Amino acid sequence: MSSNKIKQAVDNLKATYNTNNPFVICEHLGITVRERNFNETRKAYFVSIYGQPSITINSNYIEKSKNILCAHELGHIMLGHTGVNNFESENQEAEREANLFALYMLFDENDFDMKFENMTSYLIKYTLDKNIKLASK
């Protein structure tokens, strides 16, 4: 999917629900979001069972990180990705799209030196990963 279509999808969600909070948007859309205590290697995933999507997020991350993980998984759902996807999936195109979705959802493009659509997949992932941190124990 093109960057413009992903941006448009995000802009529509933010305008419809008057927020960029992925948890609030999921609630409005009837998407269940759960937190589970995973080890630090598993960040988040979504699964759709009988057409009902559900997001599970590792509870060991700070709130800002949980927002990024939720937005990423919401991106998979809104962009029509099927099956089980997670933040570490092998499907590089689906992951790039979900990462871009999260970037448009949570970050202000004006704070960057380039447009999101011009960022490589690596740079998009790097930007998100730099903002994902485990909570202090």
Side-chain angles (χ1 to χ4, degrees), residues 115-131:
K115 294 208 170 276
F116 294 160
E117 67 188 39
N118 295 330
M119 289 180 159
T120 64
S121 294
Y122 173 80
L123 187 54
I124 294 168
K125 183 174 181 347
Y126 175 81
T127 301
L128 295 178
D129 285 348
K130 281 296 273 185
N131 287 281

Side-chain angles (χ1 to χ4, degrees), residues 2 8 13-14 17-18 20 23 40 46 50 69 73 76 82 89 96 101 109 118 121-122 136:
S2 75
Q8 185 177 36
L13 282 173
K14 291 186 335 187
Y17 300 110
N18 199 30
N20 72 333
F23 289 95
E40 62 190 65
F46 97 86
Y50 301 115
L69 297 170
E73 299 305 329
H76 280 303
T82 58
S89 177
R96 180 196 151 285
F101 185 97
E109 194 172 43
N118 295 330
S121 294
Y122 173 80
S136 300

Side-chain angles (χ1 to χ4, degrees), residues 104-120:
Y104 279 123
M105 176 72 64
L106 299 172
F107 293 84
D108 184 345
E109 194 172 43
N110 294 322
D111 293 337
F112 291 78
D113 291 333
M114 68 172 53
K115 294 208 170 276
F116 294 160
E117 67 188 39
N118 295 330
M119 289 180 159
T120 64

Side-chain angles (χ1 to χ4, degrees), residues 14-67:
K14 291 186 335 187
T16 299
Y17 300 110
N18 199 30
T19 186
N20 72 333
N21 184 319
F23 289 95
V24 172
I25 293 171
C26 284
E27 184 177 334
H28 282 290
L29 294 172
I31 298 169
T32 303
V33 180
R34 296 180 180 92
E35 290 189 23
R36 297 202 55 196
N37 185 0
F38 295 125
N39 64 37
E40 62 190 65
T41 58
R42 171 157 277 178
K43 295 177 183 170
Y45 66 89
F46 97 86
V47 64
S48 185
I49 301 173
Y50 301 115
Q52 181 59 42
S54 173
I55 296 172
T56 303
I57 297 171
N58 187 331
S59 61
N60 293 307
Y61 286 90
I62 64 172
E63 291 307 309
K64 180 178 180 180
S65 300
K66 291 176 187 177
N67 280 336

